[in-house]
């Protein structure tokens, strides 16, 4: 009986085991099936959209557009989030090694999901650390961010991460995944990606990062908000040391290296990158306006618009970063120097900086500046009344103001700050290669943060005597004259009715002196007004205007003979293009600032077509060049070649220049010294410089400092001095190319100095004359 009982019991136990086995496998396979269906449904997007094949091929990486110089330097960026694309080859090996050692040690062994790490995380319920691979983290960054805190939703998102990670591994190589991961992570302080972070925190390119700097950035991948070097240096140091420990554990560095690096302090070179930082700020703003129009006319292949803030375009420009830097340094050096003189001269002026204007005119200028200020616009947007806004301009407030010695913290009324800023001399400089039209340097003002008006592309100002070469060129072309032909410098009048003048016009030389018989070369060298007037009388203002427009000047020009003395408003950009025509043997080339635009994949999507047309034959263009060489040989530009002499020479920045090579140039000064100009040319570089205050009534009182030879020429001299000191720029010191079989006499022989007739008999003769 006992045996039978035992047999029965054994059978029951076997039956129970089989039952539970079946139950287990049933649950197991059902579970697997449900899990498989769960993954399948997730991949189909039933739990929320999943990235398509196209999305994986082109993830929305929200890349900054980069502006690149002709010598390969990134001048600046347009961005909402400052993110730059790097290739794997651009990343330093120490950063990649540190990243893999810290975040995913088996990265090169798994296919997107680390099975061992996942099981460890499940068994320990996450207490031994997470199991997200670098590929999963990339999936999260690219397609759904941090995700939900609600556990069921988080599980769904985790599964989606796994699916996306596997797809990414199939789509990209390991190196490409590393590069993408380094490009999309937000490091805070408006820096997305390793490239931007390296620039922001260390002012370096990624390839130049040291091991400890790479460790700091890798440490930030854990939590850039918590491990921010600016806000939490101690926490960052601890996290960096953890990364260094992981590198030692992975045999990337030795223990001795680890200990040495862990002892280093956190050393930053922090510079928050904004649109207003870096070089060529005025040019970049000009380019931004251009790109706004460009995107309207140039669409993506699918017909949608490009976004210059997100699409990661690469805009290749003609700007040379070295020349741009030298140009900005030249402007800053001379304008700081002249500004000191300007403030000194305005000390006794009760209406400083304005000269010889009424109280009503002063009030009009101040009111206009007030109503165009940012403060006015902000308060207007807040629906403040006009009386409230005006009252606020009279109340003292704390503010930072610009000075050439750095920003100053002060307390003053906004109205006083307007008057203060009206004191500042502004400048515009553009340098261009005449044969190609490539703009090499563009300085639109003295400081973009405080003065945003662009005096190269926007600001048309009176050009003074720099207009005279257009008159001389017309005379040489139409009257078959040469630089060596003589004409008498004597009193001259154009009577009412001739050339549309409404009353008798009698131009005078700036010094009230007359020299008798002079050659055209001497006349232009000394900027003799009567000669320019006589020449325009012979050819007519219409012919001069026609030629000027052919030279690329877009300004409206009145049909009056007074234009011969420079009563015409033209931009620096147009003046440089016009003068470049003479240096380019009579062929006008439209200024170019772009070479090409690429999309984020490196595909060229735009290349500009150069525009040019013939204006003058080679002989006439060369004759004008020889006329302009006379200006720097014996005229108002002669200080470029001398060692000393001349009133105010302690303000001639960079002086003495002592140039020995051929230079064609022309100074210019407008009425009352409101505008100073210098146009300077060597065979492969034409540069124009303008100097003056924002308002024409703010100016130097005398020609000593207000004339173009003192205010603008030194900027050109200092800029060229720096260019010549850099042989890599290959700026020419050779003579201008002489046309074969030249038909115009340009080599003039002057046996004696021209006689100067002094009509006032009170002043001595001077060698520098201009309007």
């Amino acid at each position: 009986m006992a045996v039978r009982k035992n047999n029965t019991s054994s059978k029951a136990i076997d039956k129970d085991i089989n039952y539970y086995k079946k139950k287990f496998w049933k649950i197991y396979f059902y579970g697997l099936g449900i899990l498989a269906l769960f993954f399948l449904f997730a991949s189909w997007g039933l739990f929320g959209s999943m990235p398509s094949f196209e999305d994986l091929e082109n993830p929305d990486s929200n890349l900054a557009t980069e502006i690149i110089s002709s010598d390969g330097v990134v001048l600046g960026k347009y961005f909402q989030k400052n993110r730059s694309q790097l290739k794997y080859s651009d990343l330093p090996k120490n950063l990649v090694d540190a990243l893999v050692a810290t975040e995913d040690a088996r990265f090169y062994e798994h296919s997107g999901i680390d099975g061992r790490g996942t099981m460890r995380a499940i068994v320990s319920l996450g207490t031994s650390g997470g199991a997200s691979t670098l590929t999963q983290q990339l999936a999260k960054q690219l397609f759904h961010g941090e995700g939900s805190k609600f556990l069921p939703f988080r599980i769904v998102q985790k599964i989606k991460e796994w699916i996306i990670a596997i797809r990414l591994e199939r789509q990209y190589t390991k190196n490409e995944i590393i590069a993408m991961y380094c490009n999309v992570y937000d490091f805070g302080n408006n820096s997305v990606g390793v490239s931007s972070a390296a620039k922001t925190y260390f002012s370096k390119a990624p390839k130049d990062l040291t091991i400890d700097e790479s460790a700091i950035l890798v440490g930030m991948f854990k939590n850039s908000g918590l491990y921010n070097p600016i806000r939490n240096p101690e926490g960052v140091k601890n996290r960096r040391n953890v990364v260094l420990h992981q590198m030692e554990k992975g045999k990337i560095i030795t223990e001795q290296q680890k200990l040495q690096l862990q002892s280093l302090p956190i050393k930053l070179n922090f510079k928050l990158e904004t649109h207003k930082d870096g070089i060529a700020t005025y040019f970049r703003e000009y380019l931004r306006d251009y790109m706004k129009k460009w995107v309207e006319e140039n669409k993506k292949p699918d017909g949608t618009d490009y976004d210059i803030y997100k699409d990661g375009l690469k805009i290749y420009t003609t700007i040379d970063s070295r020349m741009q830097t030298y140009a900005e340094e030249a402007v800053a050096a001379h304008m700081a120097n002249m500004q000191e003189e300007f403030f000194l001269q305005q000390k006794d002026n009760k209406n400083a900086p304005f000269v010889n204007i009424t109280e009503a005119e002063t009030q009009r200028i101040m009111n206009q500046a007030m109503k165009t200020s940012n403060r006015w616009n902000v308060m207007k947007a807040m629906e403040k009344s006009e009386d409230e806004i005006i009252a606020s301009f009279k109340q003292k407030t704390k503010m930072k103001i610009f000075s050439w010695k750095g920003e100053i913290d002060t307390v003053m009324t906004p109205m006083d700050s307007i008057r203060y800023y009206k004191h500042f001399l502004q400048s515009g400089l553009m340098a261009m290669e005449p044969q190609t039209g490539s703009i090499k340097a563009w300085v639109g003002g003295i400081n973009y943060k405080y003065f945003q008006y662009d005096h190269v592309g926007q600001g048309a100002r009176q050009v003074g005597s720099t207009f005279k070469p257009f008159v001389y060129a017309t005379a040489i072309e139409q009257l078959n004259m040469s630089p060596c032909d003589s004409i008498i410098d004597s009193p001259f009048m154009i009577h009412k009715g001739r050339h549309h003048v409404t009353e008798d016009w009698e131009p005078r030389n700036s010094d009230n002196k007359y020299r008798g018989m002079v050659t055209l070369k001497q006349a232009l060298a000394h900027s003799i007004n009567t000669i320019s007037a006589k020449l325009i009388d012979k050819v007519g203002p219409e012919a001069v205007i026609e030629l000027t427009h052919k030279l690329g000047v877009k300004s409206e020009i009145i049909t009056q003979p007074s234009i011969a003395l420079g009563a015409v408003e033209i931009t620096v950009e147009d003046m440089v293009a016009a003068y470049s025509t003479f240096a380019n043997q009579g062929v006008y080339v439209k200024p170019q600032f772009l070479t090409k635009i690429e999309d984020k994949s490196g595909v060229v999507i735009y290349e500009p077509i150069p525009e040019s047309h013939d204006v003058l034959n080679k002989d006439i263009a060369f004759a004008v060049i020889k006329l302009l060489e006379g200006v720097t040989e014996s005229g108002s530009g002669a200080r470029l070649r001398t060692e000393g002499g001349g009133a105010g020479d302690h303000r001639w920045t960079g002086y003495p220049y002592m140039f020995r090579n051929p230079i064609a140039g022309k100074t210019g000064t407008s009425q009352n010294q409101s505008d100073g100009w210098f146009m300077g040319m060597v065979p492969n570089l034409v540069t124009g410089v303008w100097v003056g205050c924002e308002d024409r009534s703010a100016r130097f009182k005398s020609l000593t400092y207000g004339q173009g030879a003192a205010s603008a020429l030194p900027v050109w001299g200092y800029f060229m001095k720096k260019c010549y000191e850099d042989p890599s720029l290959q700026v020419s010191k050779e003579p201008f190319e002489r046309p074969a079989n030249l038909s115009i006499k340009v080599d003039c022989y002057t046996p004696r100095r021209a006689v100067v007739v002094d009509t006032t008999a009170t002043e001595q003769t001077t060698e520098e004359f201009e309007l």
Side-chain angles (χ1 to χ4, degrees), residues 436-485:
T436 63
S438 296
I439 298 171
K440 294 298 180 184
W442 178 304
V443 186
I446 59 172
N447 183 291
Y448 185 76
K449 181 178 178 180
Y450 287 93
F451 308 97
Q452 277 144 36
Y453 190 78
D454 184 356
H455 293 285
V456 171
Q458 283 180 296
R461 296 292 289 247
Q462 279 199 10
V463 295
S465 296
T466 55
F467 190 85
K468 289 175 181 175
F470 308 151
V471 179
Y472 281 66
T474 309
I476 292 171
E477 182 181 45
Q478 297 210 353
L479 306 176
N480 296 316
M481 297 184 77
S482 86
C484 303
D485 286 346

Side-chain angles (χ1 to χ4, degrees), residues 693-750:
C693 287
E694 183 182 284
D695 295 277
R696 287 187 171 87
S697 52
R699 56 182 175 80
F700 282 108
K701 294 179 183 178
S702 71
L703 274 169
T704 301
Y705 295 101
Q707 63 179 311
S711 63
L713 177 144
V715 175
W716 188 91
Y718 197 43
F719 168 62
M720 290 299 289
K721 205 172 179 182
K722 286 177 170 287
C723 287
Y724 281 137
E725 286 168 0
D726 187 342
S728 67
L729 293 176
Q730 298 183 321
V731 177
S732 175
K733 288 188 176 182
E734 300 301 311
F736 288 86
E737 185 180 346
R738 189 183 186 99
N741 304 313
L742 182 63
S743 61
I744 300 174
K745 184 181 179 183
V746 296
D747 302 311
C748 315
Y749 172 65
T750 349

Side-chain angles (χ1 to χ4, degrees), residues 405-417:
K405 293 179 181 177
E407 288 184 327
I408 298 172
D409 288 305
T410 189
V411 176
M412 64 167 67
T413 69
M415 192 59 85
D416 284 341
S417 75

Side-chain angles (χ1 to χ4, degrees), residues 512-529:
N512 289 312
K513 298 179 178 74
Y514 299 97
R515 292 157 188 73
M517 196 64 73
V518 292
T519 64
L520 288 192
K521 190 171 183 179
Q522 290 171 322
L524 187 62
H526 299 297
S527 214
I528 301 172
N529 290 340

